[in-house]
Amino acid sequence: MISSTEMAVVDENAEALGVPRKQLMESSGNAVARAVREIADPGASVALVCGRGNNGGDAFVAARFLSAYDVTVHLLGRPETISTEIARENWVALERAEIDRRTVEDSTAIDLATPDIVVDAMLGTGVTGALREPEATATETINAADCPVLAVDVPSGIDADTGEREGIAVEADRVVTFHDQKPGLRDLDADVTVDDIGIPDAAERFVERGDLRRLSRDSNAHKGDFGRVLVVGGGPYTGAPALAAQAALRSGADLAYVACPETVAREVQGYSENLIVEPLAGERLDSSNVQQLLAVASRMDCVVFGPGLGDATKSLDAVEAFLEAFAGTAVVDADALQVVPNVETEATLVCTPHQGELESMGGTTAADPDDRAELVESFAAELDVTFLVKGAYDVISDGTRTRLNRTGNPGMTVGGTGDVLAGVTGAMACVLDPIHAAAIGAYTNGRAGDIVVEDNGYGLVATDLLGALSTALWSESVA
C-alpha cells in the first residue's frame, strides 16, 4: 500500500535517480492501453475523458497505443490550460498524429455518443474533496454510459487514501493503478490491477529530493507554527549547542532555545543574537536542573539533547531523569545516547549516533550498507526508537521502515557537523513523523555539505553548513 503523498515522493525520487516522469507516463499510458485491450476487442469505440494534469497525460499516451480502436479523446478544458509540460507534450503528439481530439469547455455539452468503453482519466491520486465542474457533470455522463468504465489510477471523486467520496464519483468497473495499491481502492467494488511502470525500488529505499515534498509553508502561518526547538547541552563545550540551535533555525524552526549551564550562557548567547538562552544553575548539567528543563520543554515541539553536554556521571543521570519524566519528542545525540538503552520513557526518541556510538549503545554494525540497515532496523525495534546512524550511507529506521541516505562527503568528518545534523533533525521533528524527520535531516545535512564542497572544496568547517542549509532544503524543496 502507498498513500498519495508517498506516491508523489516516490515519483520525484525516481526522477532524481534518473527515471524521468515522461518515461513513467509512457509506461502508465501503455498499461492503460493494455487494460482497454483486455476489456474490448479491436475496432471497439473508446472514449477517453481526460483532465488537464498527468492523469489526463496518461490517457493521451494510451490513445497512441490504441491504433486498432476507434478512439476519441475528450479534454476537459482548453489545451493551453494543460498543467504539466509532459502532459502538454503528449497532447501535441495526439494533434500531430491526427487522433480524434475534442475539447470540452462547457461541461453540459459533453457528448460521448455510445462508446464500447469509457476511460476516466480526469483526476489522479493527489486530488481530494467534492468534484467541481467540469468534472462533476462529466462524471454524471460517464456513469450514465451503457458500457464498462476503466479508471486511471483512481476513480475520479474517490479519495485514494481513504476510499471516501464527497458527493458524486465515477462508478468504475475496473481500475488500473500504478506502482503499488492505494489504500482507498481496497474496498472498491471494481477490479483493481496494479501495474509496474518502472519505478526502481531505490526510489523508496534512498532518501532523495522528493522527500522534501513532505514539507510545506502555509502562507497564513504564524510564529511558532513551524516549531520551537530546545537544545540542551553545553558546559564542557559551547560551540556544539549553538551550532545545533542555529541549524534548527536555518531548517525552518521558528524559535530556537539553548538550555546550558549559567557559566557558559553568555558565551553561547554570543554565537548568535537569534538564540534564546535559558541558563541552568551550575557548571554542568545535573539532576537539580531537571525540573527547570521539564518546565521549559513543556512549551517546545522538540528537545535536542546532548550537543556539548559531556559525559560526566551527574550529567548523564540528569539526562536519564529528564527522559523518564518527559513524554514529548526528543532528538538524542552525542554523550546523551549512552542512557537510551536503559531508560524507561514515554518520549518519542530520535537517536543520531555514529557507528562507534551505536556499538556503545549495544547495537552492531556491518560494512555492507544493506547488512547494516538490517541490524539497525532490528535494534530500533528492540529499543522502540528511531535511529539515524551516521556514515557514508546514513541508515534511518524506526524498526519497521528503513531508508538509506547517500548525501554527504568525506569533508564532513570535521567536528561539529553532527551537531548541525541534530539541529536540522530537531527542526524536522517539530512538523514531521520521526522517520521522515530523520530522513530529511540526514539528506539536508549531507546536501549542505555537498554544496559547500562543490563551491569551495574540502576543508569545510561546521559553520559552513549553516549557510548552505537553506539552499539544500528550501531551494530544492518542491513543496
Side-chain angles (χ1 to χ4, degrees):
M1 293 283 181
I2 189 168
S3 69
S4 56
T5 299
E6 291 301 312
M7 193 66 230
V9 168
V10 169
D11 274 346
E12 182 75 14
N13 282 352
E15 188 164 51
L17 292 167
V19 184
R21 292 188 180 189
K22 186 173 182 178
Q23 182 175 327
L24 297 178
M25 183 174 285
E26 197 75 8
S27 297
S28 299
N30 202 348
V32 173
R34 282 197 306 272
V36 169
R37 289 193 290 268
E38 291 171 3
I39 296 170
D41 294 328
S45 58
V46 182
L48 298 104
V49 185
C50 307
R52 291 163 291 166
N54 284 343
N55 197 251
D58 293 337
F60 300 159
V61 172
R64 290 192 282 104
F65 284 99
L66 293 171
S67 58
Y69 292 78
D70 179 14
V71 171
T72 306
V73 179
H74 302 262
L75 175 65
L76 301 183
R78 300 185 307 277
E80 57 267 28
T81 63
I82 293 173
S83 61
T84 71
E85 182 178 350
I86 54 174
R88 237 180 346 262
E89 289 175 358
N90 280 298
W91 174 260
V92 170
L94 294 182
E95 290 181 329
R96 292 176 178 172
E98 298 187 350
I99 292 172
D100 190 355
R101 307 161 321 285
R102 304 178 188 182
T103 58
V104 182
E105 297 184 26
D106 178 0
S107 59
T108 63
I110 186 170
D111 182 9
L112 302 181
T114 55
D116 296 307
I117 179 173
V118 175
V119 175
D120 161 32
M122 293 188 293
L123 300 173
T125 57
V127 181
T128 60
L131 292 179
R132 296 181 292 181
E133 296 296 352
E135 291 81 13
T137 299
T139 295
E140 292 177 353
T141 303
I142 292 171
N143 288 345
D146 186 20
C147 65
V149 176
L150 169 68
V152 178
D153 218 6
V154 62
S156 297
I158 298 292
D159 188 308
D161 294 331
T162 66
E164 296 175 353
R165 64 181 73 192
E166 294 182 24
I168 192 170
V170 168
E171 302 294 341
D173 301 289
R174 182 168 176 179
V175 180
V176 56
T177 194
F178 310 120
H179 182 64
D180 200 352
Q181 176 69 286
K182 312 305 185 295
L185 302 180
R186 284 178 296 190
D187 300 322
L188 203 63
D189 185 19
D191 179 14
V192 179
T193 302
V194 178
D195 266 80
D196 183 350
I197 57 172
I199 294 176
D201 291 343
E204 293 187 74
R205 186 154 180 77
F206 290 109
V207 188
E208 277 290 351
R209 66 169 184 261
D211 283 84
L212 301 181
R213 280 186 172 272
R214 306 183 197 282
L215 300 171
S216 61
R217 306 285 289 191
D218 190 332
S219 59
N220 295 316
H222 301 283
K223 181 164 62 177
D225 287 355
F226 301 112
R228 295 175 171 85
V229 176
L230 171 65
V231 178
V232 182
Y237 308 98
T238 58
L243 280 170
Q246 291 177 87
L249 290 173
R250 294 284 188 174
S251 302
D254 288 335
L255 295 166
Y257 297 73
V258 178
C260 60
E262 60 188 0
T263 53
V264 297
R266 185 181 296 272
E267 188 174 348
V268 170
Q269 182 69 80
Y271 286 109
S272 174
E273 63 274 25
N274 297 301
L275 306 180
I276 303 169
V277 177
E278 293 279 346
L280 304 172
E283 297 182 357
R284 296 279 184 101
L285 178 70
D286 63 37
S287 297
S288 67
N289 306 130
V290 170
Q291 290 306 311
Q292 180 184 351
L293 281 177
L294 288 169
V296 176
S298 68
R299 308 193 302 270
M300 303 296 149
D301 297 289
C302 181
V303 176
V304 178
F305 227 116
L309 185 70
D311 60 356
T313 300
K314 64 179 182 179
S315 297
L316 298 182
D317 288 344
V319 175
E320 186 170 356
F322 176 89
L323 292 179
E324 285 176 348
F326 186 57
T329 299
V331 175
V332 185
D333 186 45
D335 289 307
L337 290 162
Q338 299 174 53
V339 309
V340 170
N342 299 315
V343 72
E344 294 287 338
T345 182
E346 295 182 8
T348 299
L349 301 185
V350 180
C351 299
T352 59
H354 54 59
Q355 307 292 326
E357 289 168 333
L358 178 73
E359 291 180 294
S360 295
M361 294 175 71
T364 52
T365 188
D368 179 78
D370 290 327
D371 293 341
R372 187 163 68 251
E374 288 186 13
L375 294 169
V376 171
E377 182 176 289
S378 177
F379 195 41
E382 179 184 336
L383 297 186
D384 192 24
V385 303
T386 297
F387 271 117
L388 192 177
V389 182
K390 295 171 280 194
Y393 278 32
D394 303 315
V395 178
I396 304 101
S397 182
D398 62 2
T400 301
R401 296 166 292 180
T402 300
R403 310 286 302 281
L404 297 176
N405 174 63
R406 298 181 291 188
T407 60
N409 59 76
M412 297 178 69
T413 56
V414 67
T417 57
D419 302 308
V420 173
L421 173 60
V424 177
T425 305
M428 295 299 111
C430 291
V431 293
L432 297 173
D433 289 342
I435 185 71
H436 301 317
I440 294 179
Y443 175 86
T444 304
N445 191 60
R447 182 71 189 106
D450 291 341
I451 290 169
V452 172
V453 168
E454 287 163 10
D455 290 344
N456 302 314
Y458 292 126
L460 63 83
V461 293
T463 49
D464 293 335
L465 299 185
L466 297 177
L469 284 174
S470 294
T471 301
L473 188 60
W474 302 115
S475 70
E476 297 186 6
S477 175
V478 292

